Amino acid sequence: MGDVRGNSNSNRPEWLQQYDLIGKIGEGTYGLVFLAKIKANRSKSIAIKKFKQSKDGDGVSPTAIREIMLLREISHENVVKLVNVHINQADMSLYLAFDYAEHDLYEIIRHHRDKVILSINPYTVKSLLWQLLNGLNYLHSNWIVHRDLKPSNILVMGEGEEHGVVKIADFGLARIYQAPLKPLAENGVVVTIWYRAPELLLGAKHYTSAVDMWAVGCIFAELLTLKPLFQGQEVKGTPNPFQLDQLDKIFKVLGHPTPEKWPTLVNLPHWQSDVQRIQGHKYDNPALYSVLHMSPKSPAYDLLSKMLEYDPRKRITATQALEHEYFRMEPLPGRNALVPPQPGEKVVNYPTRPVDTTTDFEGTISLQTSQPVSSGNAASGGMHGPHVMPTRSVPRPMQMVNMPRMQPQGMSAYNLASQAGMSAGMNPGNMPMQRGVAAQAHQQQMRRKDPGMGIPGYPSQQKSRRF
Amino acid sequence: MAANFWISSQYKELLDQEEVDVVHQLDKERGITLDDFKLIKLHMSNYVARLAQNVKVRQRVVATAITYMRRVYVRRSMTEYDPRLVAPTCLYLASKAEESTVQARLLVFYIKKLYSDEKYKYEIKDILDMEMKVLEALNYYLVVYHPYRSLAQFLQDAGMNDATQLTWGLINDTYKMDLILIHPPHLITLACIYIASVLKDKETTAWFEELRVDMNVVKNIAMEILDYYDGHRSISDERVNAAMSKLAGR
């Protein structure tokens, strides 16, 4: 693995020659993600995650180390597969190559909410959940806590042999929790706020695999309703894990936790120090089932409420969840979550990931003046070159593989609003959100590079991507 | 993996003594013998431990770092990968892998403090460059199981809690050899407990019999550790220096 060394004399490291770069599909705090094809096997798509070189002379980022360390040891059908690691000595960057997954739960949910305006087929929901739990069960039985489960980290394979198979991705925050040298809480606060377990919000120091199960519960609810279950507003820029609004959103739906039901609650730092604010305002009629429009007697509701159990010690485990009645009744979960086995069922065609073909592996925007693009795009594409950054970031945060959603600089407010499905009025930065104009320009950047690119007159794929 | 050594990369990559005791061609050309090779690795293990004491990381980090260093030299030559750079780099990488990150500049500070010799002098950039090369040489396998893990449980079970410190010390010394590349860690633990029981005159035969492990392997490891202690007396600074002097200058 990865015995190829970068060639410092050329722009393209040697190892890169084995891939055809298609374009950028994502960007996160620690780097970029690219879509590439293996030259030797054109049908095989690879997602390449590039870790930025560290700024302050601290070498390979601990996030990358953690991810490599775990992924080199684990192997499971429902966990993303690390196929290669590459090092480019020339610019001290590190590349992780994964099997490419065309979809993820964030995009699938969004597609149903905004495009088809139809809930996700019960077979698909159940199959996605089962596979997610199956992968998580594997991780937990190997003492690995993921710590950052959210819809965008749950990938689903596109057409091919593994069509509709769930892959848990992004192990940048994952930990082995047997005999850690430091309390897990010292690594800083983790888990995207909406999916964060109450014990974390209340400042728990030693947490367990139960935090992942809480996140699965939130994701399950979101698959059912197409809306995040607990959309709290994050207080940023504080190391304090205490997030009052998020807790409040949870209490509103589930009611207040009580020391009777959750005995160790009284030991949690914020339960004690913030008695006034946490225990003050009581919600009278908490009702998870009414939020979900479900019968409280249905097996799906029973399973969900067990995932959203306050006391982490009582919360259902992945092993137990897989045995739940919900998975034993029709429709039974299947391997291809996207295509129900029964003929005649409507199959939703999910859009493929948008690809920014103007960014190369170095992460620099190429103007690509020599790139033949049909129907006048060449001109506008070229013209837009210098403005690519703002254009690219406006339409929506780009979806990515294995990475947190892209947070273009200065655009975080919009990003939050768009994720939350909030109105423009909730946009504190007053960022312009005119989808029409921006999307038009955007689309030109978002076309998947055609394999025939470079042959004059060969029309580039005009497959429109979700705009 | 984290819970199960038997499906770990470490288990799959265990080597035979003959595979570990191979002096790289380039090193042979510099006159480095198998004895020199072992001596240099021993000396570098001590170097890692000394540095670790100064930057204050725990024994598990030291053990992981030494394991990395020994693994590197199964695949790479000392001529191309100067041990005086590889050793601190392995400590640097191990500190990240074991969640106790030490800053490179701190390491560089203590390297300069501990060794005035120019040959040990490396800068932050050298460590960062070498970090990537080490990662590559390790084939990106970073999880290491150590004999410490099962120690407390075994001692408790054998009724030998009073031998904890002694056994812990014995385990520390096993990193001066290549045992961790060759044997499953729990067998190293048992070999150390076996030695401790002999030293403390404890009767443990029945306990070992119940374990259903290959006692021949345990005894062989124990013999090797005892051989090391015997041979250790003859290791003089002169011998170490002679071996080190065969390494390439910079």
Side-chain angles (χ1 to χ4, degrees):
Chain A
M1 181 179 262
D3 256 350
V4 261
R5 190 75 48 79
N7 179 355
S8 53
N9 298 324
S10 108
N11 287 337
R12 286 282 150 95
E14 250 171 73
W15 61 265
L16 220 147
Q17 315 280 330
Q18 65 180 295
Y19 300 112
D20 279 326
L21 173 69
I22 310 294
K24 188 177 83 169
I25 49 174
E27 185 170 344
T29 44
Y30 29 86
L32 304 170
V33 186
F34 301 93
L35 173 61
K37 290 206 181 258
I38 295 179
K39 276 183 184 160
N41 178 4
R42 285 288 309 177
S43 62
K44 193 143 174 68
S45 294
I46 297 288
I48 299 178
K49 184 168 176 176
K50 177 186 182 180
F51 285 88
K52 284 175 194 158
Q53 60 185 120
S54 78
K55 327 130 218 122
D56 5 302
D58 274 328
V60 180
S61 82
T63 311
I65 298 281
R66 220 173 282 141
E67 188 152 26
I68 294 171
M69 182 166 172
L70 289 171
L71 289 173
R72 280 297 270 155
E73 300 286 330
I74 61 187
S75 162
H76 189 270
E77 184 174 39
N78 298 120
V79 174
V80 74
K81 191 178 171 214
L82 177 68
V83 292
N84 232 324
V85 183
H86 301 287
I87 277 172
N88 187 14
Q89 283 280 352
D91 72 345
M92 298 277 283
S93 54
L94 188 76
Y95 297 79
L96 305 191
F98 297 93
D99 274 348
Y100 176 69
E102 190 66 79
H103 313 288
D104 60 68
L105 295 194
Y106 178 84
E107 285 303 323
I108 287 172
I109 291 166
R110 205 179 77 95
H111 184 70
H112 279 269
R113 189 184 60 226
D114 301 346
K115 299 285 167 195
V116 271
I117 325 283
L118 188 72
S119 58
I120 306 174
N121 171 320
Y123 163 83
T124 297
V125 171
K126 194 180 285 184
S127 305
L128 292 172
L129 186 68
W130 193 88
Q131 294 187 39
L132 167 57
L133 286 165
N134 195 36
L136 205 54
N137 182 41
Y138 168 81
L139 295 175
H140 289 174
S141 61
N142 282 299
W143 302 86
I144 295 166
V145 212
H146 185 285
R147 310 205 306 175
D148 195 24
L149 289 177
K150 53 185 170 186
S152 57
N153 284 343
I154 318 296
L155 310 181
V156 183
M157 297 300 279
E159 277 175 34
E161 197 276 313
E162 287 197 290
H163 191 199
V165 173
V166 170
K167 305 278 177 185
I168 300 173
D170 204 335
F171 287 77
L173 287 173
R175 288 299 141 74
I176 299 171
Y177 63 97
Q178 198 179 27
L181 289 186
K182 284 182 177 180
L184 290 169
E186 269 184 41
N187 292 300
V189 187
V190 296
V191 182
T192 317
I193 180 169
W194 295 343
Y195 307 93
R196 200 177 288 170
E199 63 270 27
L200 298 183
L201 294 164
L202 290 167
K205 290 266 183 301
H206 293 280
Y207 48 90
T208 60
S209 54
V211 304
D212 286 341
M213 289 307 293
W214 178 274
V216 172
C218 298
I219 293 167
F220 184 17
E222 197 168 330
L223 286 169
L224 294 169
T225 66
L226 307 180
K227 274 200 303 225
L229 183 58
F230 308 122
Q231 295 186 47
Q233 282 194 306
E234 187 162 4
V235 184
K236 296 226 184 206
T238 156
N240 193 334
F242 182 62
Q243 297 280 353
L244 187 64
D245 191 58
Q246 183 63 27
L247 279 168
D248 196 56
K249 292 287 190 300
I250 297 171
F251 296 165
K252 204 172 189 167
V253 175
L254 300 178
H256 278 262
T258 58
E260 289 74 51
K261 288 185 198 148
W262 182 0
T264 51
L265 177 64
V266 292
N267 303 326
L268 295 173
H270 300 301
W271 178 259
Q272 289 180 320
S273 62
D274 285 279
V275 173
Q276 210 51 35
R277 286 191 289 167
I278 296 182
Q279 302 179 36
H281 183 182
K282 298 267 189 214
Y283 291 99
D284 294 328
N285 297 308
L288 176 61
Y289 60 86
S290 67
V291 173
L292 297 164
H293 311 290
M294 277 172 101
S295 158
K297 290 196 182 98
S298 70
Y301 178 81
D302 185 73
L303 175 57
L304 178 59
S305 58
K306 284 174 173 153
M307 291 171 170
L308 298 176
E309 163 66 49
Y310 272 122
D311 187 342
R313 289 182 309 175
K314 293 183 195 155
R315 203 172 295 151
I316 196 168
T317 64
T319 319
Q320 292 162 347
L322 288 167
E323 295 294 315
H324 194 273
E325 189 197 347
Y326 171 64
F327 294 116
R328 296 167 190 256
M329 49 182 265
E330 294 288 336
L332 293 173
R335 186 174 184 263
N336 185 342
L338 301 183
V339 181
Q342 303 87 347
E345 286 268 9
K346 188 176 179 290
V347 175
V348 179
N349 286 313
Y350 296 100
T352 50
R353 245 171 245 287
V355 181
D356 171 6
T357 56
T358 62
T359 304
D360 65 19
F361 266 118
E362 280 73 47
T364 48
I365 313 293
S366 56
L367 297 182
Q368 301 192 338
T369 42
S370 61
Q371 181 184 311
V373 186
S374 65
S375 64
N377 279 339
S380 58
M383 296 287 280
H384 278 86
H387 309 292
V388 159
M389 279 313 278
T391 325
R392 195 156 34 100
S393 56
V394 169
R396 66 175 197 90
M398 208 184 299
Q399 185 41 38
M400 59 218 58
V401 194
N402 312 319
M403 296 202 87
R405 200 157 309 284
M406 178 164 63
Q407 294 263 4
Q409 280 164 351
M411 296 300 288
S412 54
Y414 169 69
N415 192 14
L416 176 70
S418 114
Q419 266 203 44
M422 293 171 190
S423 68
M426 292 286 289
N427 175 3
N430 274 326
M431 297 306 296
M433 291 197 284
Q434 1 131 346
R435 281 176 183 258
V437 180
Q440 225 177 6
H442 182 69
Q443 199 171 359
Q444 287 155 9
Q445 322 288 343
M446 290 309 215
R447 196 162 296 115
R448 182 158 297 179
K449 198 181 249 179
D450 192 274
M453 200 68 91
I455 302 167
Y458 191 103
S460 69
Q461 234 171 326
Q462 291 294 333
K463 201 169 164 190
S464 167
R465 299 195 183 273
R466 83 187 69 195
F467 296 109
Chain B
M1 33 84 50
N4 190 347
F5 168 76
W6 304 106
I7 55 166
S8 69
S9 64
Q10 184 178 352
Y11 176 62
K12 287 174 208 144
E13 303 264 306
L14 284 181
L15 299 161
D16 293 332
Q17 186 77 52
E18 300 75 52
E19 294 173 283
V20 176
D21 288 345
V22 178
V23 181
H24 199 280
Q25 189 54 41
L26 281 170
D27 294 343
K28 271 188 195 158
E29 287 164 15
R30 300 196 65 86
I32 294 172
T33 64
L34 180 58
D35 272 350
D36 292 333
F37 186 47
K38 289 184 175 177
L39 213 51
I40 294 169
K41 286 193 280 187
L42 166 63
H43 183 57
M44 286 301 127
S45 303
N46 292 335
Y47 180 25
V48 169
R50 275 185 77 186
L51 262 180
Q53 264 178 1
N54 283 278
V55 297
K56 298 192 172 53
V57 288
R58 295 179 52 176
Q59 186 58 33
R60 192 166 103 194
V61 183
V62 178
T64 298
I66 295 173
T67 308
Y68 288 171
M69 185 268 293
R70 291 181 179 278
R71 284 180 182 175
V72 165
Y73 291 117
V74 173
R75 297 156 189 261
R76 300 289 192 268
S77 72
M78 291 184 162
T79 306
E80 290 168 299
Y81 288 68
D82 185 352
R84 290 161 295 210
L85 175 57
V86 169
T89 304
C90 287
L91 182 61
Y92 179 59
L93 183 58
S95 78
K96 288 183 190 175
E98 298 285 3
E99 306 282 349
S100 336
T101 306
V102 173
Q103 287 184 318
R105 58 169 180 83
L106 197 65
L107 278 174
V108 168
F109 173 81
Y110 282 108
I111 291 169
K112 285 176 184 162
K113 207 174 152 192
L114 290 175
Y115 292 94
S116 50
D117 186 340
E118 273 295 305
K119 284 181 173 167
Y120 283 83
K121 199 180 155 197
Y122 281 101
E123 302 298 335
I124 294 175
K125 192 189 174 303
D126 301 316
I127 291 184
L128 302 188
D129 279 345
M130 184 51 84
E131 183 188 26
M132 290 210 161
K133 290 182 184 167
V134 166
L135 266 175
E136 201 174 41
L138 295 173
N139 204 6
Y140 310 97
Y141 290 126
L142 301 174
V143 175
V144 186
Y145 291 78
H146 294 295
Y148 303 102
R149 190 176 210 161
S150 37
L151 178 61
Q153 209 187 331
F154 279 147
L155 287 177
Q156 173 84 31
D157 197 52
M160 283 182 58
N161 279 330
D162 56 326
T164 303
Q165 224 177 347
L166 171 64
T167 322
W168 183 275
L170 288 166
I171 293 178
N172 288 352
D173 285 341
T174 64
Y175 288 90
K176 297 174 197 254
M177 292 157 267
D178 289 306
L179 293 171
I180 193 73
L181 305 190
I182 299 162
H183 302 287
H186 69 283
L187 295 182
I188 300 175
T189 317
L190 290 175
C192 291
I193 292 176
Y194 181 72
I195 296 172
S197 72
V198 171
L199 291 174
K200 290 229 164 198
D201 213 10
K202 282 251 184 184
E203 177 49 51
T204 50
T205 320
W207 181 75
F208 273 107
E209 271 171 9
E210 274 178 30
L211 285 175
R212 276 191 260 164
V213 294
D214 188 342
M215 268 317 275
N216 285 327
V217 178
V218 172
K219 284 181 181 166
N220 283 339
I221 297 171
M223 288 308 290
E224 206 178 320
I225 296 168
L226 293 173
D227 281 349
Y228 161 77
Y229 284 120
D230 278 345
H232 190 63
R233 287 181 211 116
S234 66
I235 298 174
S236 61
D237 282 352
E238 288 76 53
R239 273 185 65 199
V240 173
N241 291 339
M244 290 299 293
S245 68
K246 293 179 187 174
L247 292 172
R250 279 195 292 155

